[in-house]
Amino acid sequence: MGLSHLAMIKAHPDVQVEAVVDSSGYILDVLGKYTGLATFTDYETMLESVPLDAVLIATPTRFHGPMVRAALERGLHVFCEKPLCLTSEESQQLAALAAEKGLVTQVGYHNRFVGAFREVKELLDAGAIGRVTHILAEAYGPVVLKSKGTTWRSQRTEGGGCLYDYAAHPVDLLSWYVGAPIGVGGTILGSVFSENTEDEVFSTLYYDNNVSAQLSVNWSDESYRKMTTQITITGTAGRIHADRQEIQVHLGGAAPTVQGYEKGWNVRYTTELTENVWFYLRGEEYSAQLDHFVKRIENADLDGINSFASAAVTDRVLELLTIDAEAGPATRDAEAVVAAAAPAPRRGLLRRR
Amino acid sequence: MSENATLIETSAGATHMDRLLFGDNQFFGVNHMSEEKARAQAMRFQNLDAVLAVLDTAYDEGITTFMCTTHERIAEVAERVRSNPARYPDFRFYPCMPYAHKYADAVTEYGMLGAIRRFLPDEGMMNAMLRGGSSIAKKDAEGLITLLVDAEMAAFRGLSTPVIWLQNVVVDLLLGLGFTEAFVIFAQHIKKRYNAEPGFITMNLPLLLDALEKAGIENPLVCSNINKIGFRMSGGIEGYAEALAGRTCRAVAMSVFASGAIPAREAIEWISEQPNIQSIVFGASSQANIRSTKQLVDEFSGTRPKRER
């Protein structure tokens, strides 16, 4: 259970919270004592005893799969925190199960509800910067600043680590903007402090139509006050840079006419890109995504933002990055002894040594 | 105290609040508009002397109340003021607690209970451990909340802190959870132990006023984004207008300029026309901005509706 999820969803005017489940009896007792919520330490017991429309799951990632499945099998709509599962196969199975049952599913990639990142998507859909050639997706922040950690976030086996917990966000933005990659290369899952998981993630992602992306993520960077996610997109007719606060767009001479934008530099701030929410706790996007989920259930809308199917694409990328990082350098100095291993000899005097 | 500063007699009788309060976001790299600007500010104010120079400027312009988070660096500011009573005879702190990042980071690293244990006050450690320990064992929110408040207030010992605020991250979490008893515990402790007035910062003013009324906290002191374009005013600008006009409360307006999205004169003129606005809190880094804001507020102060009792 996430306390802030609970606070936000409990404040939603269309929602009645029927029960809360957490493995910590202590937190539950405090909640039960002071808020009157019905509490359970066992998820299955709760599912059996409380009639529900939907569940909201915010647990360590390794519990997501079985909990989501149990809910779907009972015909409940599911909002699950990101990433969906530790294997993309399981994510795809859950997406299929939800589709078969006609249930609404959503994963907590809240950046898709940030005004600036949403504006990027609209600009790309409008072809504002021409053909996209490259995207730089970054995230930095001060999460792990020394070698000891005691929660599940320090354990790769539980879905902790910079890749699943942090890099998943910019990776998901890439999935949103340019779809699934055809492959990845040069991935580094490096440790700065952590013993059992990675603290930094770097990689190159390859897409159809000669689009490429680079991922640069570090959650052990004390120079950032809090998590900062940034996207920089280069196209044949312009360039976009966005973070949570603002979007900076340069439209070149070849750019088409985009309403509200002019040729050259355009800057728009969160103050104009953000709509008010019914309840604000940590940022409009966290509330907005829950509201989206609620509205989708009300409207039986199965194809909204951040469905399981969309999250499964991101989970697959996370898997590819893990596999690629194991492989290490593609071109090793010690093995590529002879220059002849280089591309086929070229004619003429310019042949490389 | 400058001649122009407007003093308001509140219903509580004891608390005089200036019309204009000085905030601290600019000192800690918080900028809701631009990451670049936030970083530039973090660089500029890395040195405490740079912070103090701006505070001195504000103080000398007649803005003598500093509404600040309980960030570790504020302890150094407090120490400077404490050791120079002749320089700062009218300096007042309005502490806003807790400084949420240090708790959030600790919760991520140590889990909920581990984090609480790390923030017991330094003074009277044994006592605090007993109080905190038994509070934790009994699931007694009162013991725990008062303990954390005392830990946060340690840095301000011996200084004037007539208003003590609960930060929006905590207020709004409790509000969402429906844990309104915590507001009462906080308010009573602030009054009893610090002889100060409790204040509540929120991003959800209409909802909070409902909850405070239900909890029996009358004519509360609240602080919220209140600006002409409705930026970060959950419940909408109309909901705020209704709440401010119809409820008995005293509001401190923050984000009046919406991070610079509203021209200064327009912003101050608008806020001056809203009812029940007790004070305005703003942040600035230059003497020119501090002075011009003060002048604008003085200029429009005469025109605001007299709804305060």
Side-chain angles (χ1 to χ4, degrees), chain A residues 148-229:
Chain A
K148 283 253 159 69
T150 53
T151 74
W152 66 273
R153 289 176 200 280
S154 62
Q155 299 296 326
R156 162 62 79 71
T157 47
E158 302 211 2
C162 184
L163 177 65
Y164 276 84
D165 208 26
Y166 229 56
H169 284 294
V171 165
D172 184 68
L173 283 174
L174 287 172
S175 307
W176 197 29
Y177 295 149
V178 286
I182 54 174
V184 303
T187 306
I188 292 167
L189 299 182
S191 167
V192 180
F193 298 112
S194 294
E195 287 160 26
N196 299 313
T197 191
E198 72 286 335
D199 301 311
E200 48 179 25
V201 180
F202 307 106
S203 187
T204 301
L205 296 89
Y206 300 79
Y207 297 84
D208 277 330
N209 303 316
N210 296 321
V211 179
S212 64
Q214 273 173 336
L215 182 67
S216 176
V217 181
N218 181 340
W219 76 357
S220 297
D221 188 339
E222 202 175 358
S223 73
Y224 286 83
R225 190 175 69 89
K226 57 180 185 176
M227 184 181 189
T228 300
T229 304

Side-chain angles (χ1 to χ4, degrees), chain A residues 77-146:
Chain A
H77 307 290
V78 180
F79 181 100
C80 182
E81 257 314 323
K82 61 86 213 172
L84 181 51
C85 296
L86 292 173
T87 69
S88 64
E89 190 189 1
E90 190 171 27
S91 297
Q92 284 156 5
Q93 286 169 357
L94 295 175
L97 179 60
E100 182 193 313
K101 299 226 169 207
L103 294 166
V104 171
T105 60
Q106 197 172 313
V107 176
Y109 285 112
H110 53 80
N111 281 315
R112 295 196 191 197
F113 292 87
V114 169
F117 292 132
R118 193 176 260 200
E119 184 76 2
V120 172
K121 173 71 171 160
E122 285 173 17
L123 287 170
L124 292 179
D125 288 349
I129 59 167
R131 184 178 70 78
V132 170
T133 60
H134 185 74
I135 305 186
L136 172 61
E138 303 168 272
Y140 308 104
V143 178
V144 174
L145 299 175
K146 53 187 174 196

Side-chain angles (χ1 to χ4, degrees), chain A residues 228-308:
Chain A
T228 300
T229 304
Q230 302 167 41
I231 291 285
T232 309
I233 309 181
T234 312
T236 51
R239 175 186 187 273
I240 300 171
H241 177 80
D243 58 32
R244 188 173 172 275
Q245 314 285 16
E246 65 179 320
I247 174 168
Q248 301 171 345
V249 183
H250 187 271
L251 298 180
T257 304
V258 184
Q259 200 179 357
Y261 285 80
E262 55 187 60
K263 294 290 160 73
W265 283 108
N266 300 264
V267 183
R268 292 188 151 193
Y269 296 103
T270 181
T271 43
E272 62 176 307
L273 296 170
T274 306
E275 284 170 27
N276 276 323
V277 288
W278 84 94
F279 181 75
Y280 179 104
L281 185 54
R282 295 189 292 163
E284 286 85 358
E285 61 271 31
Y286 299 98
S287 303
Q289 67 175 359
L290 292 178
D291 186 54
H292 184 69
F293 179 61
V294 172
K295 293 289 185 303
R296 286 177 59 206
I297 293 173
E298 288 170 350
N299 301 324
D301 168 14
L302 302 187
D303 301 319
I305 300 171
N306 286 339
S307 67
F308 280 5

